[in-house]
Amino acid sequence: YIAVPTSACGHTRGLWKGWKELHEAGLINRIPKMIVVQASNNSPLVTSIKQGVAHITPFADFHTIAEALTSGNPPGGEEIIAKAQQHGWLAESASEEEILDGQRHLAASGHFVEPATATSVHAIRKLRDSGAIEQDADLVAFADRDTLLAAAGALDLPLRLVPADAADAPPGSLLHSLGSMVASLRSLIQEINRSAALLVGNAEEISRASTEV
């Protein structure tokens, strides 16, 4: 099984295509089953797959800490639903509390992941507890996105509560000190974003170069 946090369906579709072509080429003798994982607050695919319907169940006006999983009506979603029904894929969601707990659990094991990736932890647990996944089954949890970018975004949320002109308050005042501290933190976040973007860009350049060789 491969558990894939799913939003716009690209990763799930791509992974399935890759395994299918490996099987057709005779390089593997069976294709792993996909597990479509979403946040409970935005689970249009999981809801439809579990209900056994062929159409997407759109979600709107939702909020989830798994900000990478924000497609409430994903393009190509009905294709994924059809594949799930045809090939016996599984689907499960995780609540906001479960996502945070999963993130803490993975962090304790040395894995620094963003919330969307952490949705798989409790989704897999629930599927195992229900008997949908065999206890001795091989499982892979797909981890995606740059963690530094997600962490920087999370750090920026409470900073937005501080007035933008706080640093212009009278020197020595609490508001001025708070504004100066926030300005420094925002500069740090911007630097993290720049560094992360460079890392991602370098990785993509290396990938392109290796493909061309």
Side-chain angles (χ1 to χ4, degrees):
Y1 296 91
I2 302 178
V4 188
T6 304
S7 183
C9 306
H11 289 127
T12 307
R13 185 182 296 107
L15 285 168
W16 167 252
K17 182 176 185 293
W19 286 109
K20 184 172 178 289
E21 291 177 354
L22 287 171
H23 185 261
E24 291 171 349
L27 298 176
I28 57 175
N29 56 21
R30 59 176 179 168
I31 303 174
K33 286 186 177 181
M34 300 289 126
I35 303 174
V36 177
V37 179
Q38 296 188 302
S40 298
N41 284 0
N42 179 36
S43 52
L45 298 175
V46 170
T47 300
S48 294
I49 292 170
K50 294 177 79 170
Q51 290 180 351
V53 298
H55 59 270
I56 296 174
T57 306
F59 275 60
D61 299 324
F62 57 82
H63 170 75
T64 175
I65 192 172
E67 52 86 23
L69 307 179
T70 54
S71 292
N73 190 7
E78 291 184 356
E79 176 193 351
I80 297 300
I81 293 170
K83 281 182 167 57
Q85 294 171 345
Q86 179 183 356
H87 301 289
W89 294 0
L90 301 177
E92 190 54 81
S93 62
S95 68
E96 299 298 285
E97 294 77 12
E98 289 172 336
I99 293 170
L100 290 172
D101 183 71
Q103 195 175 32
R104 287 190 292 267
H105 175 80
L106 291 172
S109 302
H111 301 288
F112 182 36
V113 305
E114 50 106 18
T117 294
T119 56
S120 293
V121 175
H122 277 275
I124 290 171
R125 284 180 180 173
K126 286 189 277 191
L127 288 169
R128 271 195 159 157
D129 290 345
S130 69
I133 296 178
E134 305 84 357
Q135 293 297 318
D136 60 347
D138 293 324
L139 275 163
V140 173
F142 183 75
D144 178 41
R145 293 190 83 236
D146 184 87
T147 310
L148 290 177
L149 287 171
L155 282 172
D156 191 48
L157 288 176
L159 302 188
R160 297 176 192 171
L161 299 176
V162 179
D165 60 350
D168 298 329
S173 67
L174 177 60
L175 189 58
H176 174 80
S177 299
L178 185 60
S180 298
M181 180 182 69
V182 167
S184 298
L185 285 173
R186 284 192 172 128
S187 295
L188 176 61
I189 289 172
Q190 290 172 357
E191 187 58 38
I192 289 174
N193 283 335
R194 281 193 293 269
S195 298
L198 284 173
L199 287 172
V200 172
N202 289 339
E204 291 176 347
E205 184 64 31
I206 292 171
S207 177
R208 283 193 296 269
S210 63
T211 304
E212 294 170 358
V213 169

